[in-house]
Amino acid sequence: MRRRQDFIKELGELCLDALYQLEDCDYEFEDGYLETASCGSHLTFRSAEVNVNYWYGSGKESVEVEIYKDDGSIFLDNLADAVQKYCNENIDFQLMRDYFYEQAEEDNEDEWQRNGFRDAQDYYSWRYG
């Protein structure tokens, strides 16, 4: 039984690490508030293929895990449920939301704000050499 828990923890930590890489993310803001967000990753663990996704919407958030073996022909639902439970109990949801707020700020910055120019001359010098 202990070995099973260690296996679930190891796979769960790999899933969380993959999510924290924040690749393949999408989000929507309305009136300065995060409306929806999602982030996902695909990884290989031993002989299994793992899909892990983070979802936020309507003030709720969760992690979903799917685990397949034999080139996707067998879904390991019991293992996926256990790893998903581990991820939902151990993910830093605040860190995930903070990322989307920071990303939205960066996306809305213009070139001047993004590069921190001190004045117009500094910008023109950078822009035109």
Side-chain angles (χ1 to χ4, degrees), residues 17-67:
D17 288 345
L19 283 180
Y20 292 146
Q21 297 299 315
L22 300 165
E23 296 174 358
D24 194 23
C25 294
D26 191 27
Y27 63 89
E28 287 184 32
F29 275 83
E30 188 171 312
D31 297 327
Y33 293 99
L34 184 62
E35 288 290 313
T36 61
S38 64
C39 200
S41 189
H42 176 84
L43 57 129
T44 302
F45 180 75
R46 298 185 184 175
S47 64
E49 300 293 320
V50 181
N51 294 316
V52 58
N53 295 292
Y54 163 83
W55 305 98
Y56 175 87
S58 302
K60 298 177 183 171
E61 55 199 328
S62 65
V63 174
E64 180 181 286
V65 177
E66 298 174 336
I67 303 172

Side-chain angles (χ1 to χ4, degrees), residues 51-118:
N51 294 316
V52 58
N53 295 292
Y54 163 83
W55 305 98
Y56 175 87
S58 302
K60 298 177 183 171
E61 55 199 328
S62 65
V63 174
E64 180 181 286
V65 177
E66 298 174 336
I67 303 172
Y68 297 92
K69 73 174 197 170
D70 296 334
D71 295 324
S73 63
I74 299 173
F75 177 62
L76 304 175
D77 55 342
N78 289 338
L79 180 58
D81 289 345
V83 173
Q84 181 171 301
K85 181 180 178 190
Y86 177 88
C87 289
N88 279 298
E89 290 172 351
N90 292 283
I91 190 170
D92 186 344
F93 284 119
Q94 185 63 50
L95 178 71
M96 298 297 286
R97 288 189 307 273
D98 288 348
Y99 164 77
F100 290 107
Y101 278 101
E102 289 170 12
Q103 191 62 44
E105 283 181 22
E106 287 179 21
D107 290 347
N108 290 325
E109 289 179 341
D110 61 19
E111 195 168 46
W112 185 290
Q113 294 166 319
R114 194 170 20 260
N115 292 300
F117 298 110
R118 70 178 173 273

Side-chain angles (χ1 to χ4, degrees), residues 7-20:
F7 183 79
I8 291 167
K9 181 180 179 183
E10 180 182 358
L11 184 51
E13 288 299 319
L14 286 173
C15 288
L16 292 176
D17 288 345
L19 283 180
Y20 292 146

